[in-house]
């Protein structure tokens, strides 16, 4: 598919927000004098009986981590300062695992967070869960859940052909216990954690249905989670939404684009919705951009000292060639979503409508350590075709849509220890429109997974309430861009600029 001019990379598995790679690490060197200061200091915080082997493994973990950090972090790390920060972190630790490895891992995590918000230490279990999140599937029971007004775990809908559906779980069931652990008042993340596990392992859910309470024991299975949905709008506009970039996103997108081309004889436009897309696999995001581009640079990556690392070039593609395109972004669009939107605009392919995006332009690598666990380290930035970096800046829309219900929201640059912004794209929005002015009735015909979900919502009685409470005026603005209303005036201004590469 892509990969013109790309150097082969061991274990090119891309993980987390766009640009994370899994690589193997060399064994650590002997500890330096500074590192020995920490190795001596942490021993006084170990509150359990530990063997010499356990201390040796923890020592190796710390020394190896600092070696990897010094060789690969995006900026030069001051080793002595990092060690002093590690020693200072010992007094404030709140630990579930007071073993040598538990303490060293917690200190590494704390110290890495002082470099930037995305660098971290990962235990073996965390590493496994991160891999699951990028595979487009996980081992669980197969239900969509939410919190009700009383902070109880509510079943929104079981996913078709999953253990939950086969066990007879129904919309509006409440999950009061998982394997005997009471869930009332617990966050959704805790319920998800307890329901996920290894394929074939059983989990017992205590269900409250109206006034009846009963246990259901199901065996976990591999659950496929679609990252792409599609629809036609007003019969002649294609719509495709990408919620994240994982290992299955490209195949799903190609399938839906083929279906859209078959459904729409004379397409008036195509809308690519990247709102609330937090990113994912860099390769996946670049491959998706390539479905709409015939040539040109999609994205490049840049390491320490502005050293160029990789380039992703477009191949010839046939999907909706020559059809006007709108890309939707919002403040929750991050990383891979930002690079895809920038690539499409800077190659003259589409107009961006919505809000300025989140502004995460850094890339991370996941590095397993020989002593256990691994590091997620920021190793570089991705650069757009015009050599801009979205880190701290975000992607500015061509047409900004102003919504009355917008709340305060932290972007990347607002996060503690965020890396500074660099090489900002000088573009400014060409127009700002009020979301209310865009409102219009549009006919959306969803198909595939989105249609199945709508059916489940209708059966649970949620669809009518949702439709009344929420109107997608930003999407309606995008539809208006292809019509003869107010936004068409902006189209006449913007399209020539796009074609000129401005």
């Amino acid at each position: 598919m892509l990969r013109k001019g790309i150097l082969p990379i061991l274990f090119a598995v891309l993980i987390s927000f766009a640009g994370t790679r899994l690589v193997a690490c060399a064994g650590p060197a002997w500890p330096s004098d500074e590192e020995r200061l920490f190795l001596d200091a942490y021993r006084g915080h170990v509150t359990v009986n530990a063997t010499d082997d356990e201390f040796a493994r923890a020592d190796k973990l710390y020394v190896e981590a600092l070696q990897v950090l010094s060789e690969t972090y995006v900026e030069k790390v001051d080793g002595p300062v990092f060690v002093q920060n590690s020693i200072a972190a010992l007094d404030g630790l709140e630990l579930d695992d007071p073993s040598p490895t538990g303490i060293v891992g917690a200190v590494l995590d704390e110290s890495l967070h002082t470099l930037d918000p995305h660098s971290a230490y990962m235990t073996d279990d965390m590493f496994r869960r991160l891999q699951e999140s990028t595979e487009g599937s996980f081992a669980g029971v197969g239900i969509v859940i939410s919190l009700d007004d009383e902070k109880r775990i509510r079943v929104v809908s079981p996913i078709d052909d999953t253990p939950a559906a086969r066990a007879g779980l129904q919309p509006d069931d409440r999950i009061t216990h998982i394997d005997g652990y009471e869930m009332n008042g617990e966050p959704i993340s805790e319920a998800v954690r307890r329901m996920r596990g290894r394929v074939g392992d059983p989990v017992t859910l205590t269900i409250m249905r109206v006034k009846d309470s009963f246990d259901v024991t199901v065996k976990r299975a591999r659950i496929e989670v679609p990252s792409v949905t599609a629809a036609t709008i007003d019969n002649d506009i294609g719509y495709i939404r990408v919620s994240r970039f994982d290992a299955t996103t490209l195949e799903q997108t190609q399938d839906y684009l083929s279906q859209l081309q078959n459904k729409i004889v004379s397409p008036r436009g195509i809308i690519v919705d990247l709102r609330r897309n937090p990113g994912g696999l860099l390769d996946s995001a670049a491959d998706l951009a390539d479905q709409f581009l015939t040539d040109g640079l999609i994205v490049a990556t840049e390491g320490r000292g502005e050293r160029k690392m990789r380039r992703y070039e477009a191949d010839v593609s046939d999907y909706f060639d020559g059809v006007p395109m709108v890309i939707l972004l919002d403040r929750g669009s991050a990383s891979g979503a930002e690079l895809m939107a920038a690539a499409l605009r800077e190659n003259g392919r589409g107009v961006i409508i919505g809000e300025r995006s989140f502004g995460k332009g850094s890339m991370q690598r996941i590095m397993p350590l020989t002593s256990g666990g691994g590091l997620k380290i920021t190793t570089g930035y991705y650069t757009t075709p015009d050599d801009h970096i979205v880190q701290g800046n975000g992607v500015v829309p061509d047409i900004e849509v102003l919504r009355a219900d917008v709340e305060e929201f932290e972007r990347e640059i607002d996060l503690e220890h965020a890396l500074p912004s660099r090489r900002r794209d000088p573009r400014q929005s060409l127009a700002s429109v009020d979301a209310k002015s865009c409102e219009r009735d549009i006919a959306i015909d969803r198909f595939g997974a989105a249609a199945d979900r709508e059916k489940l919502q209708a059966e649970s009685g949620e669809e009518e309430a949702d439709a009344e409470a929420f109107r997608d005026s930003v999407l309606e603005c995008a539809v208006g861009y292809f019509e003869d209303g107010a936004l068409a005036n902006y189209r006449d201004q913007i399209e020539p600029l796009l074609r000129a590469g401005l």
Side-chain angles (χ1 to χ4, degrees):
M1 170 60 62
L2 290 173
R3 313 302 76 87
K4 294 179 184 174
I6 298 176
L7 295 175
I9 295 180
L10 276 178
F11 304 115
V13 179
L14 292 161
I15 305 178
S16 186
F17 285 135
T20 308
R21 291 180 299 183
L22 168 64
V23 297
C25 302
W30 292 105
S32 66
D33 291 341
E34 290 84 5
E35 291 164 350
R36 175 55 63 189
L37 292 175
F38 171 78
L39 300 183
D40 291 339
Y42 89 83
R43 280 165 164 72
H45 293 260
V46 176
T47 59
V48 296
N49 292 327
T51 66
D52 289 343
D53 285 345
E54 289 174 317
F55 278 114
R57 182 184 177 198
D59 290 356
K60 182 181 179 183
L61 170 63
Y62 189 78
V63 175
E64 183 181 6
L66 264 67
Q67 179 188 12
V68 171
L69 192 66
S70 68
E71 293 173 353
T72 60
Y73 192 68
V74 65
E75 305 292 349
K76 183 175 176 56
V77 176
D78 188 325
V81 170
F82 188 91
V83 171
Q84 288 304 314
N85 288 339
S86 297
I87 294 172
L90 285 167
D91 290 331
L93 290 180
E94 295 182 5
L95 291 172
D96 293 328
D97 178 9
S99 69
T101 301
I103 290 174
V104 171
V107 166
L108 280 173
D109 191 56
E110 184 75 20
S111 301
L112 287 166
H113 283 319
T114 66
L115 299 178
D116 71 81
H118 308 294
S119 294
Y121 170 75
M122 306 179 71
T123 64
D124 289 330
D125 184 60
M126 293 168 64
F127 180 66
R128 177 181 59 79
R129 292 180 185 278
L130 183 57
Q131 284 181 303
E132 280 185 350
S133 71
T134 64
E135 291 171 355
S137 64
F138 61 89
V141 300
I143 50 175
V144 179
I145 59 176
S146 66
L147 286 181
D148 67 11
D149 293 338
E150 299 177 16
K151 305 298 183 185
R152 298 178 299 176
I153 304 297
R154 174 179 176 265
V155 176
V156 175
S157 61
I159 300 172
D160 286 346
D161 196 29
T162 64
R166 291 190 288 270
L169 268 64
Q170 298 177 9
D172 220 37
D173 283 346
R174 265 52 173 188
I175 301 175
T176 62
H177 296 75
I178 300 176
D179 282 336
Y181 183 88
E182 185 174 357
M183 297 307 302
N184 288 348
E186 294 287 347
I188 287 179
S189 59
E190 180 63 14
V192 170
R193 186 184 74 82
R194 290 181 175 274
M195 285 189 287
R196 291 191 181 181
R198 291 183 298 184
V199 172
D201 281 359
V203 58
T204 298
L205 309 178
T206 303
I207 303 297
M208 178 173 287
R209 181 176 298 163
V210 190
K211 295 182 179 180
D212 294 331
S213 181
F214 54 92
D215 288 345
V216 175
T217 299
V218 297
K219 288 185 176 181
R220 296 177 176 94
R222 183 63 57 184
I223 309 297
E224 302 297 327
V225 184
S227 57
V228 185
T229 56
T232 60
I233 299 177
D234 294 343
N235 297 317
D236 60 358
I237 296 174
Y239 172 84
I240 191 151
R241 166 158 174 70
V242 184
S243 60
R244 67 184 181 282
F245 299 105
D246 60 35
T248 67
T249 302
L250 175 60
E251 183 179 354
Q252 293 177 58
T253 302
Q254 291 173 325
D255 180 45
Y256 279 134
L257 287 173
S258 296
Q259 292 185 56
L260 281 171
Q261 289 195 147
N262 290 333
K263 286 175 177 286
I264 305 174
V265 177
S266 299
R268 188 154 45 107
I270 175 76
I271 298 172
V272 179
D273 191 347
L274 301 177
R275 291 175 295 173
R276 302 179 300 283
N277 181 325
L281 303 183
L282 178 61
D283 277 357
S284 177
D287 279 336
L288 256 69
D290 189 33
Q291 304 311 300
F292 303 102
L293 297 172
T294 56
D295 57 24
L297 176 65
I298 295 174
V299 65
T301 62
E302 178 180 289
R304 185 184 300 177
E306 300 187 0
R307 177 175 59 88
K308 298 301 181 185
M309 298 163 64
R310 304 177 74 190
R311 289 173 59 87
Y312 296 73
E313 302 279 350
D315 294 327
V316 176
S317 181
D318 298 323
Y319 292 113
F320 289 91
D321 187 29
V323 175
M325 173 186 289
V326 164
I327 305 109
L328 298 183
L329 288 185
D330 68 6
R331 63 190 65 191
S333 306
S335 203
E338 295 174 288
L339 75 85
M340 178 177 175
L344 292 173
R345 176 168 67 186
E346 293 179 16
N347 279 288
R349 183 62 187 90
V351 169
I352 299 173
I353 293 179
E355 296 178 304
R356 180 167 64 91
S357 60
F358 185 74
K360 181 188 178 294
S362 62
M363 54 180 285
Q364 285 71 43
R365 295 169 75 181
I366 300 296
M367 304 183 186
L369 301 174
T370 61
S371 45
L375 301 182
K376 182 173 74 165
I377 294 182
T378 299
T379 59
Y381 301 94
Y382 62 77
T383 64
T384 71
D386 290 342
D387 203 32
H388 303 131
I389 294 178
V390 303
Q391 173 64 26
N393 301 309
V395 176
V396 174
D398 299 298
I399 299 176
E400 181 183 25
V401 180
L402 305 174
R403 295 184 294 127
D405 59 347
V406 170
E407 299 178 355
E408 290 296 321
F409 185 87
E410 286 190 341
R411 288 182 166 85
E412 169 79 9
I413 199 64
D414 301 312
L415 301 179
E416 189 175 12
H417 305 301
L419 294 171
S421 57
R422 303 176 59 192
R423 299 210 304 269
R424 181 181 66 85
D425 185 344
R427 288 180 180 83
Q428 299 293 324
S429 296
L430 299 178
S432 294
V433 299
D434 184 82
K436 294 286 288 185
S437 69
C438 294
E439 290 184 355
R440 67 192 67 235
D441 292 328
I442 58 177
I444 302 177
D445 181 17
R446 304 184 191 276
F447 55 93
D452 294 339
R453 185 163 59 249
E454 278 193 349
K455 180 181 177 182
L456 287 169
Q457 289 175 332
E459 291 173 351
S460 67
E462 285 198 338
E463 189 178 53
E464 292 181 9
D466 286 348
E468 190 170 325
F470 175 74
R471 178 159 196 161
D472 194 344
S473 53
V474 178
L475 177 58
E476 291 163 10
C477 278
V479 173
Y481 181 81
F482 300 117
E483 295 184 352
D484 297 327
L487 284 184
N489 297 327
Y490 300 125
R491 183 185 68 223
D492 294 339
Q493 298 172 32
I494 294 172
E495 293 289 346
L497 296 176
L498 267 182
R499 287 192 290 272
L502 301 176

